[in-house]
Amino acid sequence: MKRQYASIDIARYVSALLVVCIHTFPFLEISETFNTYFIHTVCRLAVPFFFTTSGFFFFRNYDSENEDLNETRLKKALIRLFRIYLIWTIIYLPYTIFDYTHNGFRISYLFTYVRDFIFNGSYYHLWFLPALMLADVIVYCLYKKKGLNFTLLITFILYFVGYLINVYTPIWESIPGVSFFFGFFTKTLSTARNGIFFGPMFIAIGLLLSRTRRLPKKVSLIGFLISFVLFFVEVSLYRHFGILRDLTSMYICLIPAIYFLVNYLLKINIPYRKMFTILRHDSLMIYTSHILFAKIFLALMPHAHLVVYFLTLACAQCLAGFVTRYQDQYPILKKLL
């Protein structure tokens, strides 16, 4: 039986809490500056962490002598992710219909929705699921054909291109000649934060961690702290030059920060108990469900973001607890996990 990592499951749950922060701006009334830095540094670790750990747990079972088994495992993982994605797409349909129609409906919205369903998520926070599926396929094919070093190189190139698009959007939009081509990109893909440019880099880091020996804990911790300080400086520079936006999420220093962070967590030995499996399931449920509650609470209490955060989290956790408790009694609930 493969080793289970309690530290990763705990960190997954914490990451889900951070994702809720991204969508509720909890410290906005307390300090707009602190809220900005907290979301763009600490909270921006969450989704790359999800990608990296997903890549690690998939590729640690990769058998170079049995490609049929690898493909079977990949298909099984993709089917599970697509099932979860489809179910939550249906759950969020009332929200989707409202968003597309409350200011008037146009036929072009249908094409926008199809594009978003494939690349950007059928609802905005669900982008992680199609991105994870596409990134899994890209990294799997690269690794199968060309090996680890080539995979890391190509995924970094993709990430760097996405970084240039994601971070420097205000600059590209201000240059007359470039803005035309940039506009074509945004009409086609909308954002670089997807399974082509964003996800593969962190899946590849998970692959790297699964294929190489762990760094010592002290080295990983120091590496993470240095990377995080540089990450903070990077965010500060973008804010200083006026190009930091809510959607800015692809930072160069995220790459070493995530690598060292996951390396460190993988070295922590905590006896595994059932509660950690529950935390893993809860993290997924909180991630997928929290917008159901956040949208309503933000509309009702637009100037009480910290209250909205805790109410959203409480409701999402209650739903997660309900699914965990009654999934054996109502097997349909297992489809959400």
Side-chain angles (χ1 to χ4, degrees):
M1 181 179 176
K2 287 286 185 179
R3 179 186 167 188
Q4 293 181 296
Y5 294 88
S7 57
I8 296 296
D9 287 334
I10 294 170
R12 279 173 169 164
Y13 186 81
V14 173
S15 295
L17 306 188
L18 295 177
V19 170
V20 179
C21 286
I22 293 173
H23 296 132
T24 56
F25 314 105
F27 306 110
L28 193 59
E29 283 82 25
I30 299 170
S31 169
E32 187 175 348
T33 299
F34 178 79
N35 187 77
T36 297
Y37 275 102
F38 185 74
I39 287 176
H40 283 281
T41 55
V42 177
C43 295
R44 289 300 182 203
L45 295 169
V47 174
F49 174 81
F50 284 134
F51 275 109
T52 301
T53 51
S54 295
F56 172 80
F57 286 113
F58 177 80
F59 282 105
R60 72 170 179 165
N61 295 318
Y62 187 92
D63 185 352
S64 57
E65 303 297 324
N66 193 341
E67 286 300 338
D68 289 339
L69 177 61
N70 295 330
E71 290 186 10
T72 298
R73 290 183 57 252
L74 178 63
K75 289 176 183 176
K76 184 178 179 181
L78 294 176
I79 289 171
R80 172 181 171 269
L81 288 170
F82 185 74
R83 182 194 72 223
I84 293 171
Y85 181 44
L86 193 59
I87 290 172
W88 283 103
T89 294
I90 294 169
I91 291 173
Y92 278 99
L93 266 180
Y95 284 61
T96 305
I97 293 170
F98 175 80
D99 288 350
Y100 275 99
T101 59
H102 76 284
N103 287 326
F105 177 77
R106 291 187 294 180
I107 196 69
S108 61
Y109 290 165
L110 295 176
F111 298 99
T112 301
Y113 183 75
V114 171
R115 178 202 66 187
D116 289 344
F117 181 86
I118 297 171
F119 294 108
N120 304 321
S122 53
Y123 210 65
Y124 58 89
H125 71 299
L126 297 179
W127 73 271
F128 171 74
L129 295 169
L132 180 57
M133 288 186 275
L134 183 54
D136 278 341
V137 172
I138 290 173
V139 174
Y140 176 83
C141 291
L142 288 172
Y143 182 61
K144 177 182 175 182
K145 297 294 184 182
K146 295 291 185 176
L148 178 59
N149 291 336
F150 184 81
T151 301
L152 291 169
L153 174 63
I154 296 301
T155 54
F156 178 76
I157 291 172
L158 288 171
Y159 186 85
F160 187 73
V161 172
Y163 154 80
L164 294 176
I165 295 169
N166 178 260
V167 172
Y168 299 100
T169 290
I171 295 176
W172 307 136
E173 290 177 339
S174 68
I175 303 175
V178 176
S179 63
F180 172 79
F181 295 100
F182 189 80
F184 177 77
F185 171 84
T186 56
K187 284 286 190 296
T188 306
L189 290 178
S190 177
T191 175
R193 187 208 58 183
N194 55 32
I196 300 173
F197 299 103
F198 185 96
M201 180 74 262
F202 297 106
I203 295 290
I205 292 175
L207 164 64
L208 174 65
L209 290 166
S210 73
R211 301 283 100 181
T212 54
R213 296 180 63 182
R214 300 282 77 73
L215 296 174
K217 269 203 299 188
K218 186 175 181 179
V219 173
S220 296
L221 182 58
I222 293 172
F224 171 71
L225 293 175
I226 293 172
S227 300
F228 189 79
V229 170
L230 293 175
F231 181 21
F232 185 89
V233 171
E234 188 179 356
V235 171
S236 299
L237 287 173
Y238 301 148
R239 188 168 185 265
H240 174 75
F241 289 109
I243 59 175
L244 188 70
R245 302 166 299 120
D246 287 344
L247 295 178
T248 305
S249 54
M250 298 179 71
Y251 302 95
I252 293 299
C253 292
L254 258 180
I255 297 173
I258 290 295
Y259 171 75
F260 288 117
L261 174 62
V262 179
N263 222 316
Y264 177 77
L265 291 172
L266 290 172
K267 288 288 288 183
I268 296 176
N269 293 313
I270 300 175
Y272 202 85
R273 301 195 299 271
K274 185 180 179 181
M275 66 169 289
F276 298 123
T277 302
I278 294 173
L279 285 181
R280 186 196 317 158
H281 292 159
D282 284 357
S283 67
L284 175 60
M285 283 297 302
I286 290 171
Y287 184 100
T288 51
S289 72
H290 73 277
I291 296 297
L292 288 172
F293 312 107
K295 293 276 283 188
I296 295 172
F297 291 135
L298 284 170
L300 294 175
M301 295 174 284
H303 304 296
H305 287 78
L306 188 60
V307 175
V308 167
Y309 173 76
F310 283 113
L311 286 175
T312 298
L313 185 57
C315 291
Q317 180 59 71
C318 287
L319 179 59
F322 176 84
V323 171
T324 300
R325 181 173 181 178
Y326 292 105
Q327 61 176 315
D328 293 328
Q329 188 174 344
Y330 303 103
I332 192 172
L333 295 177
K334 292 183 178 179
K335 302 294 184 182
L336 296 170
L337 301 173

